[in-house]
Amino acid sequence: MSVRGDLPAIPVTPTLLRNWPLPPTGSGKLERGTVLVIGGSRKTPGAVLLAGTAALRAGAGRLTLAVAESTAVALAVAVPEAGVIGLPETSSGSVRSTAHEALQPELEAADAVLIGPGLDDPDETAQLLRNLSGKGRIREDQAIVLDAYALGILKQLLPDIQPWAGHLILTPNPTELGLLLGRDPEDIRNDVAEVSGMYHAVVSCQGVIAQSRNTDPPETGSTTCWEITTGSGGLGTSGSGDVLAGTIAGLRARGTTDAQAACWGSHLHAAAGDRLASRKGSPGYLARELADELPPLVMELNT
């Protein structure tokens, strides 16, 4: 898979981000926004922990984690800063599709909803997304961030997720990018742009971010593309994608646009990897260590 295509890309540099500052933090946690993370099967509750911690480290003010009921108490102890909701689960510990019934109050309160980290049953996940995307379940200023299993089954749900058009941020890895396309990726920049247009979403994958204006027929120049200019190979480690998705959700809850959250979040994630690599070596650092690097990076770039 080629990294560069013929679609021009704007380099995401510290100068660009300093000229695109994050919203003020305000005086209270609710002014910094609320993030709801939905995922966490019995086997993989750590994915939600990683994403939720990253959302807080990115500056979100309030966090709710919604996970399989059997893991809820342990997760509440592990992340005392979060509210935790136990969701109905299958006999094997996967989150059931009927979980949306327990989520409505938190859905209404959330500024950004991240779905996917730690989900592990494709059929239950697909039906859960259908249930969550029902009419009236999101506000116009609310973002839906999809990651992991929520991306693997998304192509079959295109008609069902139309209410999310213009509210979506997708964070696929290259394998998930292929599933979203329905074919093997060939050129990441053009492929990310294609997925952005297909799903009416901002997409971040492998340091490429794309946002398409939806025109029919597609117009030349209807896609804006950015490319991260930093990043260590050590980011290819278990849980790193959960941290990226959580970082983007946390920034979006603070009041950024979708594209700003994706560009800032992708840069912060890559820069955090660089800092860890310089101290610990690459590979070898852990995804859980990335989140601790976020606040000083934000402070440096947002002053």
Side-chain angles (χ1 to χ4, degrees), residues 186-210:
E186 298 172 354
D187 179 292
I188 191 165
R189 195 183 291 174
N190 287 318
D191 288 342
V192 169
E194 181 178 338
V195 168
S196 177
M198 287 172 63
Y199 294 87
H200 298 197
V202 170
V203 182
S204 175
C205 177
Q206 294 289 97
V208 175
I209 300 100

Side-chain angles (χ1 to χ4, degrees), residues 158-235:
L158 266 173
D160 302 287
I161 62 169
Q162 287 308 303
W164 289 348
H167 298 259
L168 273 175
I169 304 174
L170 309 181
T171 58
N173 60 31
T175 299
E176 291 156 351
L177 183 69
L179 293 172
L180 291 168
L181 288 164
R183 59 172 173 78
D184 290 338
E186 298 172 354
D187 179 292
I188 191 165
R189 195 183 291 174
N190 287 318
D191 288 342
V192 169
E194 181 178 338
V195 168
S196 177
M198 287 172 63
Y199 294 87
H200 298 197
V202 170
V203 182
S204 175
C205 177
Q206 294 289 97
V208 175
I209 300 100
Q211 181 178 45
S212 295
R213 299 195 317 273
N214 297 299
T215 60
D216 189 16
E219 298 175 359
T220 301
S222 64
T223 298
T224 303
C225 187
W226 296 265
E227 192 159 3
I228 302 303
T229 58
T230 187
S232 162
L235 288 170

Side-chain angles (χ1 to χ4, degrees), residues 1 74 124 291:
M1 181 176 61
E124 294 287 348

Side-chain angles (χ1 to χ4, degrees), residues 260-286:
Q260 185 183 17
C263 287
W264 265 85
S266 300
H267 175 89
L268 291 170
H269 182 250
D274 282 348
R275 292 201 172 181
L276 287 170
S278 70
R279 297 200 308 271
K280 296 177 178 289
S282 172
Y285 61 79
L286 303 177

Side-chain angles (χ1 to χ4, degrees), residues 54-69:
L56 291 176
R57 292 294 194 189
R62 181 174 176 269
L63 173 67
T64 299
L65 307 177
V67 294
E69 190 170 22

